[in-house]
Amino acid sequence: MASKKRRQSKKIRKKADHGEHEALTLWDELSALKRDNEKLTKTFEDLQARLEDTEIHVNLLTRLLTTLCVEKLGMRVGVLKRLLKRIEKEAIRDSQILHLESLYNLPHHPEKKTSPTKRPKKGDPWEEIS
């Protein structure tokens, strides 16, 4: 009977040790998640600050460009608005094309097509002269 009690007590100790091990593992995982959360929060705050700085720079550049176009280049405000709307539509179209290309993994095409070089025609009289 004493050996039976010893076996039972060993089983109880093993279960207790196993439960402590699970608790420690769970605690380690929880602390790792907290550290990851703190890193992500810091990264998010940094990105948010960079976004705000970028918005400020874009706003200043927009004002500078508007001032240059109206005051120095003599553009009318209506002409400038139409030009900006056209540029916006082209930018949206280009971004949609880039998005579709990325979806279908198509090779990137340059935005501006270069004009094809003119090849001399066969039987060009200038070739015979030189």
Side-chain angles (χ1 to χ4, degrees):
M1 210 177 212
S3 66
K4 192 175 186 181
K5 286 184 179 181
R6 285 184 197 156
R7 284 185 212 152
Q8 288 177 350
S9 64
K10 285 182 182 179
K11 287 181 182 178
I12 292 171
R13 278 189 241 144
K14 284 183 181 178
K15 286 182 180 178
D17 291 342
H18 184 65
E20 289 175 7
H21 179 69
E22 285 180 2
L24 289 175
T25 304
L26 182 62
W27 180 260
D28 289 340
E29 290 178 11
L30 185 60
S31 63
L33 285 173
K34 285 182 180 180
R35 284 192 303 270
D36 290 343
N37 188 23
E38 289 171 1
K39 287 179 187 176
L40 288 174
T41 303
K42 175 71 173 141
T43 304
F44 176 73
E45 289 171 355
D46 292 343
L47 289 174
Q48 199 169 18
R50 289 180 63 191
L51 178 63
E52 289 173 3
D53 290 344
T54 305
E55 288 174 344
I56 290 169
H57 286 288
V58 167
N59 190 10
L60 289 173
L61 288 173
T62 302
R63 290 179 182 200
L64 175 66
L65 184 61
T66 303
T67 303
L68 286 173
C69 287
V70 171
E71 293 182 7
K72 299 298 179 183
L73 298 178
M75 293 180 85
R76 293 184 184 158
V77 177
V79 172
L80 183 60
K81 284 182 181 179
R82 284 193 302 272
L83 181 64
L84 289 174
K85 285 181 184 177
R86 190 178 82 204
I87 290 170
E88 183 180 2
K89 287 178 184 177
E90 289 176 3
I92 290 171
R93 186 190 69 225
D94 292 343
S95 68
Q96 289 172 344
I97 290 171
L98 289 175
H99 178 68
L100 288 173
E101 285 177 348
S102 68
L103 287 176
Y104 294 106
N105 295 325
L106 296 174
H108 177 70
H109 298 289
E111 291 181 16
K112 292 186 177 180
K113 295 181 180 178
T114 57
S115 60
T117 56
K118 295 183 179 180
R119 297 180 186 165
K121 296 179 182 179
K122 294 180 181 177
D124 190 13
W126 288 105
E127 289 181 9
E128 295 174 8
I129 295 174
S130 57

